[in-house]
Amino acid sequence: MTFVLSRRCIYFQQWMVVSVAMFLLSRGGRSPTAASSSLGPICVSASAPPASVVRNLARGSALKMMADLSGGLPMEVWKSSVVLEHIRAQQQKRKAESSKKVLQNLFQERGIQGMWTGCSARMVEGFFSGAVLLAGKETLRRSLMASPLVTKTLSPAVIGFVAGAGGGAAQALVMA
């Protein structure tokens, strides 16, 4: 049960950090509806990507790396340690230690700096995955919102859900 709760905490914490950061980054003086309606349909030229795509690539990278540095990575290290403890306990036919005990052991063995183990690799991964996720999601959302047929039949929430799923799929393809 504690393993499930810690995983939920990680996802909630990352969602909160990304949501707040996206809100702060989006405060450029225009409302989201004005920004999306003034852009019109997305045209991809062979010479250079649109400025909005480049901007979303940069924002996605920054947001993912901020989320990892501000608590996502320590929570991931803790979660991974709990999973490894359960695997070892199962192999050795013993009772696994609790999540709290695993966290205490992490602090005793590695200290607070140990919670950021693998930070450089995580930053490289976050740079690419965050960029592709946000740029893919926003490009798909703008393309869907530009279609009168889609906006007539689907609510903005459904369009956002579809765009988020598409961005996640693009991220999974790039990171695989």
Side-chain angles (χ1 to χ4, degrees):
M1 184 66 175
T2 55
F3 169 67
V4 173
L5 291 177
S6 65
R7 185 175 340 148
R8 287 184 185 153
C9 287
I10 290 170
Y11 295 142
F12 178 74
Q13 183 270 338
Q14 287 180 340
W15 175 80
M16 286 296 294
V17 169
V18 169
S19 297
V20 169
M22 285 183 69
F23 172 76
L24 293 174
L25 288 173
S26 69
R27 305 296 298 163
R30 294 186 298 174
S31 68
T33 54
S36 61
S37 63
S38 66
L39 289 174
I42 303 271
C43 298
V44 179
S45 65
S47 60
S52 62
V53 173
V54 174
R55 187 172 43 248
N56 284 325
L57 285 168
R59 285 180 180 170
S61 294
L63 290 171
K64 177 66 171 148
M65 293 187 320
M66 276 182 9
D68 285 342
L69 287 174
S70 66
L73 185 57
M75 296 293 265
E76 189 70 31
V77 168
W78 181 22
K79 180 195 70 143
S80 299
S81 298
V82 170
V83 170
L84 287 173
E85 168 59 26
H86 282 271
I87 291 171
R88 289 183 190 126
Q90 197 173 33
Q91 288 174 345
Q92 297 171 359
K93 309 251 189 258
R94 62 175 173 81
K95 185 179 178 192
E97 294 180 349
S98 69
S99 295
K100 182 180 174 184
K101 182 66 176 161
V102 170
L103 183 61
Q104 288 173 343
N105 291 343
L106 275 172
F107 280 125
Q108 287 174 352
E109 293 170 10
R110 301 181 191 175
I112 190 75
Q113 296 88 2
M115 297 303 285
W116 278 268
T117 302
C119 186
S120 58
R122 188 66 181 244
M123 290 300 103
V124 171
E125 183 262 342
F127 178 80
F128 291 110
S129 69
V132 170
L133 174 66
L134 190 63
K137 177 239 171 212
E138 283 299 313
T139 302
L140 183 56
R141 185 187 65 79
R142 285 191 181 123
S143 297
L144 292 172
M145 293 297 282
S147 168
L149 177 66
V150 173
T151 55
K152 215 182 279 186
T153 48
L154 298 176
S155 71
V158 173
I159 291 172
F161 176 79
V162 169
Q171 177 188 26
L173 284 173
V174 169
M175 299 312 295

